[in-house]
């Protein structure tokens, strides 16, 4: 059983292939990140999963149910926390959640509604109407609304955009509780450090295609670029010829030099070049890549730079010097 299954999915808008043949699975109980720059096809994919957009071809399933031919039951298995804050202005919180339960055909849901309101720190605001809620409360209400039918799979679409630090912390602690209790989470976010620390596996979309699909650890391990910062005893007048090939950047009035090397062999070449240049080095700092580096490299290479660990057609990285 797969929590989410996407197979050869295509969505065409006129001449735009918003989603251009993507395939991935999300395992039950997994914390999965779907990342990509603007226009990559993330929202279109999420909208197809939520039954809001029809695919042009291919297949998408939630908990084994087809999002088109078995829409009602697939939607019943999915909770969507949307990007946009939109909530009824005049309906009190408690009524809104009761109505939403009714939408899913659930009667007598009071105990669960109370539990989610308490856990989301909304219980004391349960009688407030939409227009009486702060931005942070509205965001939490969207989470409550998405969970009212206890879905086994939850999609979080940019859930912390514009959210303050405290609310963000509470939000994540709640989502992690849900995950520990077995809920499958599919997250899209612009905050790459959030994805790096939370997602077990990550898919990176670019131009409607899947550029990478791997465990977060493997994605970071494979990315062998290293940023190297050399600090010198005396400032340099310019970049030595031997170091020109390593994207050099003179820093701190020539007292430091930032360099980039790709892979182990390149690192050895770099050290030889440093020796050759006869520089008196005071300090060396090597910075490991983070998800942002991996993301930028993959999405910069775009379609031609297909990468991946799990799909055979996506093997092999085409590297470009930065
Ligand atoms: P993302 O969520 O990654 O920013 P989207 O899925 O919103 O990307 O968009 C992917 C591409 O599809 C973009 O080029 C966008 O302009 C186009 N697109 C999305 N929705 C529509 C639509 N309803 N009509 C026409 N083009 C669309």
């Amino acid at each position: 059983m797969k929590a989410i299954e996407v197979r050869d999915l295509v969505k065409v808008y006129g001449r735009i292939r918003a989603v251009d043949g993507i395939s991935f699975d999300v395992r039950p109980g997994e914390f999965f990140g779907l990342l990509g720059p603007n226009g990559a096809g993330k929202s279109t994919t999420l909208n197809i999963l939520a039954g809001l957009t029809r695919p042009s071809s291919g297949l998408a399933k939630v908990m084994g149910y087809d999002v088109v031919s078995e829409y009602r039951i697939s939607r019943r298995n999915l909770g969507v926390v949307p990007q946009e804050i939109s909530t009824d202005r005049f309906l009190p919180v408690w009524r809104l959640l009761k109505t939403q339960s009714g939408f899913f055909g659930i009667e007598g849901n009071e105990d669960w509604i109370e539990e989610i309101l308490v856990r989301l720190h909304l219980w004391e605001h349960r009688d407030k109407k939409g227009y009486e809620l702060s931005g942070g409360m509205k965001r939490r209400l969207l989470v409550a609304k998405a969970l009212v039918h206890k879905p086994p799979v939850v999609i979080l679409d940019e859930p912390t955009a514009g959210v303050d630090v405290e609310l963000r912390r509470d939000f994540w602690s709640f989502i992690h509780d849900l995950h520990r209790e077995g809920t499958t989470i599919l997250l899209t976010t612009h905050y790459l450090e959030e994805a790096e620390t939370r997602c077990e596996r990550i898919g990176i979309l670019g131009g409607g295609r899947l550029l990478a699909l791997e465990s977060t650890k493997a994605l970071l391990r494979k990315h062998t670029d290293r940023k190297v910062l050399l600090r010198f005893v005396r400032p340099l007048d310019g970049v030595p010829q031997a170091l020109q090939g390593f994207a050099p950047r003179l820093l701190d009035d020539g007292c430091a030099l930032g360099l980039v090397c790709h892979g182990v062999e390149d690192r050895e070449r770099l050290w030889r070049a440093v020796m050759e240049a006869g520089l008196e080095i005071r300090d060396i700092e090597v910075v490991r890549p983070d998800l942002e580096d991996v993301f930028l490299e993959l999405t910069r290479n775009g379609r031609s730079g297909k990468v991946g660990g799990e799909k055979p057609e996506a093997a092999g990285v085409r590297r470009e010097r930065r």
Side-chain angles (χ1 to χ4, degrees), residues 13 16 18 37-44:
Y13 290 110
I16 297 171
N38 283 335
K42 301 179 300 292
S43 303
T44 306

Side-chain angles (χ1 to χ4, degrees), residues 199-216:
C199 298
E200 293 152 352
R201 246 169 9 118
I202 286 179
I204 297 183
L205 285 179
R209 311 201 73 163
L210 201 56
L211 305 176
L213 174 63
E214 297 202 59
S215 75
T216 312

Side-chain angles (χ1 to χ4, degrees), residues 28-251:
E30 193 170 25
F31 207 126
F32 186 90
L34 192 61
L35 308 179
N38 283 335
K42 301 179 300 292
S43 303
T44 306
T45 306
L46 298 188
N47 286 340
I48 290 172
L49 285 168
L52 298 170
T53 302
R54 264 181 175 255
S56 305
S57 65
L59 168 144
K61 290 182 173 181
V62 176
M63 294 305 279
Y65 299 106
D66 190 283
V67 299
V68 179
S69 63
E70 297 169 293
Y71 166 71
R72 284 184 72 86
I73 180 129
S74 81
R75 186 63 186 82
R76 175 77 177 71
N77 278 277
L78 191 66
V80 182
V81 181
Q83 211 175 107
E84 308 284 324
I85 300 186
S86 59
T87 177
D88 192 287
R89 281 179 55 73
F90 298 106
L91 218 53
V93 168
W94 178 264
R95 272 265 41 96
L96 180 83
L97 296 178
K98 281 285 289 172
T99 309
Q100 183 75 3
S101 302
F103 174 72
F104 284 106
I106 305 169
E107 300 287 333
N109 202 17
E110 287 78 9
D111 288 353
W112 175 239
I113 293 179
E114 180 175 338
E115 185 179 334
I116 44 181
L117 286 180
V118 169
R119 287 170 70 176
L120 285 163
H121 308 288
L122 280 174
W123 179 246
E124 57 276 32
H125 306 296
R126 64 190 176 281
D127 294 322
K128 287 193 177 145
K129 294 176 181 150
Y131 69 86
E132 295 173 297
L133 300 174
S134 69
M137 290 175 202
K138 281 185 194 150
R139 278 229 169 257
R140 280 177 279 157
L141 179 57
L142 289 178
V143 179
K145 206 172 148 197
L147 296 176
V148 86
H149 56 298
K150 289 194 186 170
V153 183
V154 170
I155 287 180
L156 304 172
D157 187 7
E158 299 282 348
T160 55
V163 166
D164 69 37
V165 176
E166 199 179 338
L167 177 58
R168 207 180 275 200
R169 201 190 48 217
D170 286 353
F171 172 83
W172 284 122
S173 111
F174 178 66
I175 294 297
H176 279 281
D177 286 348
L178 280 181
H179 181 234
R180 260 192 299 279
E181 291 158 18
T183 306
T184 307
I185 312 281
L186 171 58
L187 166 72
T188 75
T189 179
H190 273 104
Y191 299 97
L192 293 178
E193 72 282 3
E194 282 189 352
E196 182 172 334
T197 51
R198 298 172 203 286
C199 298
E200 293 152 352
R201 246 169 9 118
I202 286 179
I204 297 183
L205 285 179
R209 311 201 73 163
L210 201 56
L211 305 176
L213 174 63
E214 297 202 59
S215 75
T216 312
K217 274 192 194 135
L219 206 54
L220 293 172
R221 205 170 40 233
K222 258 196 189 167
H223 186 95
T224 53
D225 282 8
R226 293 287 184 277
K227 288 179 202 156
V228 179
L229 185 73
L230 303 177
R231 291 194 182 281
F232 307 108
V233 176
R234 275 178 289 280
L236 303 186
D237 293 333
V239 177
Q241 189 57 34
L243 295 173
Q244 288 293 351
F246 298 95
R249 273 195 318 137
L250 268 182
L251 305 163

